[in-house]
Amino acid sequence: MAQLFEGSGGSGAGGDARAGDFSVRALDMLFDYSKTAIDPAARDLLLELVAVHDLAGRREAMFTGERINRTEDRAVLHPALRNPDREGVQVDGQDVMAEVHETLDRMEAFARDVRAGRIAGQGGAYTDVVNIGIGGSDLGPVMATLALAPYHDGPRVHYVSNVDGAHLADTLRGLDPTRTLVIVASKTFTTIETMTNARSAREWMAGKVDDPASQFAALSSATDKTGEFGIDPSRVFGFEDWVGGRYSVWGPIGLPVMLAIGPQDFRAFLSGGHAMDRHFREAPAKDNMPVMLALVGMWHHQVMGYPTRAVLPYEQRLLRLPAYLQQLEMESNGKRVTMEGAALDMVSGPVVWGEPGTNGQHAFYQLIHQGTTPVPCEFMVARKGFEPELANHHDLLIANCLAQSEALMLGRDLDTARALMRKAGHEGAALEMQAAHRVFPGNRPSTTLLYPQLTPQVLGQIIALYEHRVFVEGVILGINSFDQWGVELGKELATALLPMVEGADASSKDGSTRALLDYLRG
Ligand SMILES: O=P(O)(O)OC[C@H]1O[C@](O)(CO)[C@@H](O)[C@@H]1O
């Protein structure tokens, strides 16, 4: 592996010149990639990829509503959901902005009425909201709701995603059905987990509420199906097929977030996303944060061959960010063929995983520091927390975040380890053995994203940053980042298996599946 800090030109490892040159500042955030092995020549080569693959052209095709999701023949226009302009974005010659804003205005009116108790349940103002959805209809709103806890001033918002009855039962336990609003969030309104949970939630309400459907709202593109479920059109918030599930938190799927934090703060979230859109569209590649985040990731995955990437937010409220990014990255770029359907001749997107710091330090960082496979780490931390009375905690959080990237970069060599062991009283073979265990190879790559504070605006910037990173990676790989055919086969087989789980003949199944069924059917 190339040495980190090659050509740093600064004062020692990670010197000043390198830190300034190998970082991007935008929208009051700082993305630092000086602790990677990328040198100016490598960066030039990476930047060439951007030109060769016509990123600028592909990006404009997305923002101007071309049908770039070719296998589904759809435009990809989630940025329109956070665009404050009331006109100017077209799909097939049709301006879509009026409809986007009309829906946003309706969502806001609904959220204000629910929060003020003007729209209420049979037993009075809503105290609780239960959002039922899965995948993109869950991960974004869950992540954002947790992230923005300091801004919560509405009803309590809960999320049910798993078809495991435990999720619904544990969530509903203790809630008052007469003061609970249920939101069914499903783009297609056919997802079996969501529809099963929605029906069970309706049964939970039946008997205690005269008209359970009146305490339901729906977020969906399939407005015909929401009607069949019995949800009044005034409580249905629709969106177009050009909003992909994992990109949908900015529109109606974000309604539970809006209920929790209020319309004004939700607008700030949208405005953060829009600011990142403008930066992505306008900044030259080397100063473009999503572009450089993507290129650094591709360097690690494609060039260095590191199979995974860890997302390590030093921000407890970003607890669900790694799960959110898992879907964003892995559902978007986990593909095996190019846009044209030819076999991909490089590896597709990496495995994304992670946990907030400092918790992860006491769990899996051992492997990151001393395991044999390097794991590129993506650290994130805010300049400021929200608990002034606990400012010392935040200082400790920052110190830990910086210490980890420093330890990964510098490591500890054998001589230093030996000296430590000598000081601890070891000698001879015992000293050698003990010292070997205390060596840190160092030279392990990491990046750090710094931001002022996790406000709605900044969260919007961060989420749009990652969305565009995925887009850039997809363009360079030459794949379609906006379909997800890989989830279909399992869904089809589950539908066919259900009757067999319930006792039907399973002789058509393979021997392994039959044996598992035999056990489970008792
Ligand atoms: O919103 P829906 O239609 O219920 O889909 C939920 C999720 O299911 C998927 O289609 C994949 O299973 C995701 O892409 C999507 O976010």
Side-chain angles (χ1 to χ4, degrees):
M1 169 184 164
Q3 290 296 301
L4 302 193
F5 342 117
E6 251 171 27
S8 72
S11 49
D16 296 347
R18 185 169 166 87
D21 190 20
F22 290 78
S23 62
V24 181
R25 271 180 186 270
L27 311 176
D28 210 11
M29 303 201 297
L30 172 68
F31 169 59
D32 174 90
Y33 60 100
S34 61
K35 292 185 174 86
T36 69
I38 296 173
D39 61 12
R43 182 172 57 197
D44 286 347
L45 288 173
L46 290 167
L47 286 167
E48 261 179 46
L49 288 175
V50 166
V52 167
H53 291 274
D54 185 27
L55 174 68
R58 303 307 305 153
R59 185 172 55 200
E60 280 319 284
M62 173 173 74
F63 279 105
T64 54
E66 268 183 47
R67 293 178 178 266
I68 61 169
N69 175 357
R70 282 174 43 186
T71 60
E72 296 180 310
D73 192 25
R74 289 175 183 165
V76 174
L77 264 184
H78 51 276
L81 298 174
R82 53 203 185 216
N83 187 337
D85 299 338
R86 291 194 170 246
E87 56 182 29
V89 181
Q90 299 193 342
V91 177
D92 297 336
Q94 198 87 33
D95 203 306
V96 298
M97 292 314 298
E99 201 182 328
V100 164
H101 282 280
E102 194 194 305
T103 306
L104 184 57
D105 293 345
R106 282 185 55 230
M107 285 166 62
E108 290 191 349
F110 181 76
R112 285 206 180 89
D113 284 348
V114 168
R115 285 161 56 89
R118 289 187 292 271
I119 293 181
Q122 193 173 301
Y126 287 122
T127 52
D128 295 89
V129 174
V130 176
N131 188 84
I132 296 179
I134 196 165
S137 299
D138 170 74
L139 288 162
V142 174
M143 176 275 299
T145 302
L146 285 170
L148 299 176
Y151 296 85
H152 288 195
D153 56 2
R156 289 180 292 261
V157 176
H158 316 262
Y159 290 89
V160 175
S161 51
N162 203 325
V163 75
D164 181 346
H167 203 178
L168 186 68
D170 289 352
T171 305
L172 297 184
R173 190 172 304 120
L175 299 193
D176 176 355
T178 70
R179 302 189 66 182
T180 297
L181 171 71
V182 176
I183 298 178
V184 185
S186 175
K187 182 179 167 184
T188 55
F189 228 69
T190 56
T191 304
I192 194 151
E193 293 96 324
T194 299
M195 299 323 297
T196 305
N197 277 323
R199 280 189 291 269
S200 299
R202 197 171 49 186
E203 277 161 32
W204 168 75
M205 244 180 220
K208 291 143 206 136
V209 173
D210 296 338
D211 177 14
S214 69
Q215 291 189 200
F216 273 62
L219 319 174
S220 182
S221 301
T223 39
D224 50 332
K225 297 196 174 71
T226 59
E228 282 163 29
F229 193 87
I231 302 176
D232 191 88
S234 64
R235 279 174 280 105
V236 174
F237 301 90
F239 51 101
E240 297 297 325
D241 69 1
W242 40 257
V243 181
R246 53 194 174 275
Y247 298 89
S248 61
V249 64
W250 312 96
I253 293 293
L255 182 66
V257 185
M258 190 191 272
L259 286 165
I261 66 174
Q264 204 179 333
D265 286 331
F266 192 80
R267 287 254 178 193
F269 172 65
L270 298 185
S271 137
H274 180 65
M276 185 53 74
D277 291 340
R278 293 187 58 169
H279 166 74
F280 179 50
R281 266 177 109 167
E282 290 162 12
K286 183 169 168 280
D287 305 320
N288 193 308
M289 203 177 269
V291 171
M292 290 314 301
L293 183 62
L295 293 179
V296 172
M298 294 192 83
W299 166 264
H300 290 139
H301 189 54
Q302 299 285 336
V303 182
M304 306 305 292
Y306 305 142
T308 81
R309 160 196 301 164
V311 181
L312 306 168
Y314 278 64
E315 177 94 62
Q316 181 59 25
R317 293 188 178 111
L318 288 179
L319 178 65
R320 293 298 280 162
L321 182 72
Y324 172 80
L325 293 181
Q326 248 166 19
Q327 186 198 24
L328 188 65
E329 285 267 353
M330 294 169 76
E331 197 164 84
S332 298
N333 288 344
K335 306 286 163 67
R336 57 181 289 282
V337 295
T338 64
M339 195 74 100
E340 289 71 34
L344 195 64
D345 60 3
M346 14 186 190
V347 288
S348 60
V351 173
V352 176
W353 60 286
E355 272 285 312
T358 61
N359 291 11
Q361 291 176 201
H362 300 273
F364 52 79
Y365 278 39
Q366 164 65 43
L367 181 148
I368 292 180
H369 284 289
Q370 289 188 317
T372 52
T373 306
V375 178
C377 292
E378 301 194 344
F379 294 101
M380 324 172 46
V381 71
R383 187 185 291 137
K384 210 165 111 191
F386 284 90
E387 289 71 31
E389 69 288 4
L390 300 172
N392 58 324
H393 289 235
H394 197 74
D395 293 346
L396 201 50
L397 193 70
I398 291 179
N400 270 277
C401 180
L402 301 188
Q404 291 300 324
S405 65
E406 186 185 343
L408 286 166
M409 173 175 73
L410 298 179
R412 180 198 280 151
D413 65 19
L414 186 56
D415 284 345
T416 311
R418 281 189 182 124
L420 281 172
M421 291 303 93
R422 202 166 296 119
K423 212 166 156 196
H426 295 289
E427 53 188 36
L431 180 145
E432 289 303 318
M433 181 276 284
Q434 293 287 359
H437 286 269
R438 286 161 173 82
V439 170
F440 289 67
N443 207 29
R444 299 213 154 176
S446 71
T447 61
T448 306
L449 178 69
L450 302 179
Y451 49 93
Q453 195 180 28
L454 195 60
T455 60
Q457 168 91 22
V458 167
L459 182 69
Q461 292 173 192
I462 292 173
I463 299 310
L465 165 67
Y466 282 103
E467 285 181 353
H468 294 320
R469 172 219 210 144
V470 167
F471 176 81
V472 174
E473 290 168 347
V475 167
I476 293 174
L477 288 169
I479 59 176
N480 183 355
S481 299
F482 299 102
D483 59 11
Q484 55 283 318
W485 298 109
V487 303
E488 293 303 325
L489 181 58
K491 286 185 194 173
E492 282 165 28
L493 292 177
T495 307
L497 266 161
L498 180 60
M500 300 176 201
V501 174
E502 291 169 343
D505 174 41
S507 57
S508 61
K509 287 285 153 193
D510 62 90
S512 169
T513 307
R514 262 200 332 268
L516 299 177
L517 273 172
D518 279 349
Y519 176 90
L520 289 166
R521 293 196 294 199

